[in-house]
């Protein structure tokens, strides 16, 4: 098996992680592309005695770590307001702490594996993880619109949203109902299933919602690899079914970091 064959199946999930970390499909995919270029240039340096998935994320971490320099100077006046607002929020949370939170909650790595990826001992990983969770728990709250046609899943998401201290703006089961519900509420975040009851698309519903107001959106699907190819406009925040409460929590908290109203 070639190195390309080894890592190919892990790339969609690395894209998910990179997009969640950067808050942008384009920026996240660019980091993944750079990581692959480095691996191709020096394939003998890829493996470090771990399994392929850990080594892939470890190589990505090196690229992210070398690129993330925030000295507070030289900001770009032409920078997109969403990115500028996000950077103001991200300054309150250490980049390494955010990585560890996403690695464990979103990507399912253990504390030990997150340590191998980031080159950090387990005790430090646990401390950084606790600090990151504490910082996220102090975020401002918002109102969440849930677009989900399966009643039990909708109820579970509603409970998670309420447990996190957010309000539920409403629950919609179709494209048309979702847009109408958004227009009638003050929702600041959308949680959307991909396939809805009437055969319509949650992605299409969110696109119509974003035409009304630029709110963050998190998509839920049983087949995330189908939406993480990097070949078209795709979701930035994506979680898999069946999901865990911690996964939804991390995705919500991370997406809200890129919301201007929370960065003021």
């Amino acid at each position: 098996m070639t190195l390309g064959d080894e890592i190919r199946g892990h790339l969609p999930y690395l894209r998910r992680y990179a997009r969640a970390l950067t808050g942008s499909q384009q920026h996240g995919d660019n980091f993944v592309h750079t990581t692959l270029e480095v691996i191709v240039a020096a394939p003998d340096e890829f493996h470090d005695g771990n399994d392929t998935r850990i080594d892939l994320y470890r190589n990505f971490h090196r690229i992210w770590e070398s690129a993330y320099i925030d000295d507070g100077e030289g900001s770009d006046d032409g920078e997109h307001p969403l990115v500028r607002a996000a950077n103001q929020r991200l300054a309150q949370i250490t980049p390494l702490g955010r990585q560890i939170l996403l690695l464990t909650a979103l990507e399912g790595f253990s504390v030990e594996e997150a340590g191998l990826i980031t080159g950090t001992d387990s005790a430090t990983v646990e401390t950084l993880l606790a600090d990151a969770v504490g910082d996220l728990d102090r975020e401002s709250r918002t109102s969440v619109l849930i677009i989900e046609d399966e009643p039990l899943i909708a109820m579970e998401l509603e409970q998670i949203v309420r447990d996190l201290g957010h309000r539920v703006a409403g629950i919609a089961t179709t494209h048309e109902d979702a847009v109408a519900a958004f227009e009638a509420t003050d929702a600041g975040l959308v949680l959307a299933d991909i396939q809805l009851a009437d055969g319509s698309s949650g992605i299409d519903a969110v696109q119509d919602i974003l035409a009304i107001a630029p709110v963050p959106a998190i998509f839920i699907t049983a087949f995330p690899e189908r939406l993480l190819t990097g070949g078209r406009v795709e979701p930035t925040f994506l979680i898999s079914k069946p999901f865990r409460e911690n996964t939804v929590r991390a995705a919500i908290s991370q997406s809200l970091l890129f919301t201007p109203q929370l960065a003021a």
Side-chain angles (χ1 to χ4, degrees), residues 57-139:
Y57 280 72
R58 179 180 55 82
N59 278 268
F60 176 90
H61 169 77
R62 290 177 176 175
I63 300 300
W64 170 264
E65 189 177 48
S66 65
Y68 191 94
I69 302 174
D70 183 7
D71 59 7
E73 297 180 358
S75 61
D76 183 0
D77 291 337
E79 188 175 47
H80 192 286
L82 287 176
V83 176
R84 185 166 56 251
N87 287 336
Q88 294 171 1
R89 286 291 294 166
L90 297 183
Q92 300 178 23
I93 304 176
T94 63
L96 183 55
R98 288 194 302 112
Q99 284 187 88
I100 290 169
L101 175 65
L102 294 173
L103 286 170
T104 54
L106 187 65
E107 299 303 316
F109 287 107
S110 67
V111 167
E112 292 74 18
E113 290 170 335
L116 290 172
I117 290 169
T118 61
T120 311
D121 63 86
S122 293
T124 302
V125 168
E126 290 178 344
T127 298
L128 290 171
L129 181 59
D131 289 345
V133 170
D135 286 338
L136 295 177
D137 283 344
R138 288 189 287 272
E139 285 184 344

Side-chain angles (χ1 to χ4, degrees), residues 188-226:
L189 172 70
V190 176
L191 274 173
D193 192 4
I194 298 295
Q195 188 65 43
L196 302 180
D198 60 350
S200 61
S201 166
I203 293 179
D204 291 341
V206 169
Q207 287 179 336
D208 286 347
I209 286 172
L210 293 179
I212 300 171
V215 297
I218 300 170
F219 291 92
I220 306 170
T221 177
F223 306 101
E225 65 279 0
R226 296 179 182 177

Side-chain angles (χ1 to χ4, degrees), residues 124-213:
T124 302
V125 168
E126 290 178 344
T127 298
L128 290 171
L129 181 59
D131 289 345
V133 170
D135 286 338
L136 295 177
D137 283 344
R138 288 189 287 272
E139 285 184 344
S140 300
R141 304 306 177 191
T142 191
S143 182
V144 181
L145 173 64
I146 298 172
I147 307 174
E148 172 59 62
D149 64 332
E150 296 184 36
L152 291 179
I153 295 179
M155 289 173 61
E156 185 177 1
L157 289 171
E158 181 178 13
Q159 188 60 54
I160 292 173
V161 166
R162 294 189 189 281
D163 287 346
L164 293 176
H166 302 294
R167 293 175 289 109
V168 175
I171 298 177
T173 60
T174 68
H175 180 162
E176 184 178 349
D177 288 346
V179 176
F182 183 79
E183 291 179 321
T185 66
D186 62 344
L189 172 70
V190 176
L191 274 173
D193 192 4
I194 298 295
Q195 188 65 43
L196 302 180
D198 60 350
S200 61
S201 166
I203 293 179
D204 291 341
V206 169
Q207 287 179 336
D208 286 347
I209 286 172
L210 293 179
I212 300 171

